[in-house]
Amino acid sequence: MKRRRLLSVAAVAFVPGCLSSPDDPEDSTPEAEVKDVESYLPEAGEGWTLAETYEPGLGETGLTDAVVGKYRSPDDVRYDVLVVFSGTAEQLIDAGWQIAVPIENGAIAASTGQEERSPTPEHPPQPSVDGTPIPGTDDQALELLARSPELTESEVETNCMPC
């Protein structure tokens, strides 16, 4: 009886992986995939064109890892999309962006005709002129955000602000 018990304990001890150390790379848990801020930018296609991308000057806002994409809709309306890590959708709406959606690490926002201005800690990049989006463009802004490979149409519709 003692011999069987010893053999079963020995067999378990030699099964690969049973006695691995925490430093063993084969036994380590894979790290979560770190997404790049640009991976959230909507894809061009179906009449949407991406004219350019750039990193906005965020100054002393405290926002990090941001990118702006400048798009043209199928009917030639200009949209800007801002993706920012460490910011919130509420901050972007407060700054005048037309539509914003929270994402895993921050927020993504779209609006007609945004232009970069000198941001402050209290105010992220703000809309151009008076900050009023072109009337009747909310649906297209949502459509553009739903073209992000990191978001589903359902996520955009469910989580969008101020929808």
Side-chain angles (χ1 to χ4, degrees):
M1 188 70 145
K2 288 183 181 181
R3 184 172 179 206
R4 281 187 198 164
R5 188 174 194 191
L6 178 63
L7 286 176
S8 61
V9 170
V12 170
F14 290 108
V15 172
C18 286
L19 292 180
S20 58
S21 71
D23 298 329
D24 186 357
E26 290 181 22
D27 193 40
S28 63
T29 308
E31 292 183 26
E33 180 182 339
V34 177
K35 294 179 179 157
D36 180 46
V37 70
E38 289 187 14
S39 71
Y40 283 91
L41 283 175
E43 295 176 336
E46 297 181 26
W48 287 95
T49 57
L50 174 59
E52 69 174 304
T53 63
Y54 65 92
E55 292 181 17
L58 296 175
E60 300 297 319
T61 63
L63 302 175
T64 59
D65 296 325
V67 66
V68 172
K70 294 190 168 289
Y71 293 83
R72 287 274 179 194
S73 70
D75 56 348
D76 204 35
V77 175
R78 191 183 102 189
Y79 287 83
D80 287 355
V81 172
L82 172 67
V83 181
V84 62
F85 287 175
S86 78
T88 67
E90 291 87 358
Q91 284 177 303
L92 300 181
I93 291 298
D94 289 346
W97 287 82
Q98 185 173 353
I99 302 289
V101 176
I103 58 175
E104 183 179 344
N105 300 317
I108 182 172
S111 196
T112 53
Q114 301 291 326
E115 79 181 30
E116 183 180 357
R117 293 198 177 166
S118 298
T120 65
E122 296 79 29
H123 302 287
Q126 299 177 3
S128 60
V129 194
D130 63 1
T132 304
I134 297 171
T137 57
D138 287 357
D139 287 344
Q140 272 193 330
L142 287 171
E143 177 187 332
L144 179 57
L145 291 182
R147 297 187 61 77
S148 169
E150 301 294 340
L151 300 172
T152 65
E153 186 175 340
S154 175
E155 288 173 319
V156 170
E157 289 176 0
T158 302
N159 299 314
C160 72
M161 300 173 74
C163 302

